Amino acid sequence: LQFELIGSLLGIAIDNSVILDIHFPPAVYKKLCDQRVSLEDLREFQPAVARSLEQIEAETSEENMAAMCLSFSVQQDNFGMVTEVPLKPDGENIPVTLANKHEYVELHVDWLLNKSIRQQFNAFHRGFKRVCQGDVFGK
């Protein structure tokens, strides 16, 4: 309900041409316009994570990839309780290799920018769309 309310308030402000001193990363606006978000968007607000993923994509040594001990999963901290979240079915048992590193990066970015925040963003988006219809950002 809180995220939906914030989305509605932002929508009301935009609909009434009120300037708010709120600095969302460009990815938020892209998501509000139903545009695809990418590693470039992640770089805007989590540059260290983006650099790490870019280094994985640039890696050319299978030995170095194996030394990273990566699997198709991420660790999520829920109030001090760390859980492993698979990026795809049985992902915790699939090692990241040179052959599948691009898929890993894509899935990791998708998890960070979409799946891990889906519930909160959907509420925010619902509140925003309740007030603003059509092309409010002038794509």
Side-chain angles (χ1 to χ4, degrees):
L1 186 61
Q2 293 170 339
F3 290 98
E4 193 167 337
L5 177 62
I6 293 168
S8 295
L9 290 174
L10 179 64
I12 289 168
I14 289 172
D15 198 45
N16 290 296
S17 300
V18 174
I19 297 174
L20 298 175
D21 191 22
I22 298 175
H23 304 281
F24 289 120
V28 173
Y29 298 105
K30 285 177 82 171
K31 287 174 67 66
L32 284 172
C33 294
D34 298 320
Q35 294 178 8
R36 190 172 183 268
V37 289
S38 67
L39 182 57
E40 286 183 30
D41 298 302
L42 182 63
R43 192 179 304 117
E44 290 284 327
F45 66 99
Q46 287 189 328
V49 174
R51 270 193 307 276
S52 294
L53 293 173
E54 288 166 344
Q55 288 173 341
I56 291 168
E57 280 198 325
E59 185 55 59
T60 58
S61 164
E62 194 66 63
E63 186 178 312
N64 289 345
M65 287 300 296
M68 291 183 208
C69 299
L70 294 173
S71 66
F72 276 78
S73 64
V74 293
Q75 291 188 340
Q76 182 174 20
D77 186 341
N78 292 318
F79 304 105
M81 190 100 145
V82 178
T83 56
E84 190 171 9
V85 179
L87 296 173
K88 64 183 199 175
D90 200 35
E92 60 275 7
N93 296 314
I94 302 171
V96 178
T97 64
L98 289 179
N100 63 19
K101 66 183 179 179
H102 298 295
E103 179 187 14
Y104 170 79
V105 170
E106 271 188 30
L107 291 172
H108 197 123
V109 169
D110 183 51
W111 184 82
L112 288 170
L113 297 179
N114 295 311
K115 293 179 179 174
S116 69
I117 59 167
R118 178 169 284 139
Q119 184 179 0
Q120 296 89 343
F121 186 80
N122 284 348
F124 177 81
H125 192 248
R126 194 170 43 252
F128 182 83
K129 289 294 186 180
R130 180 178 296 129
V131 177
C132 291
Q133 301 296 320
D135 185 15
V136 296
F137 297 117
K139 289 190 225 178

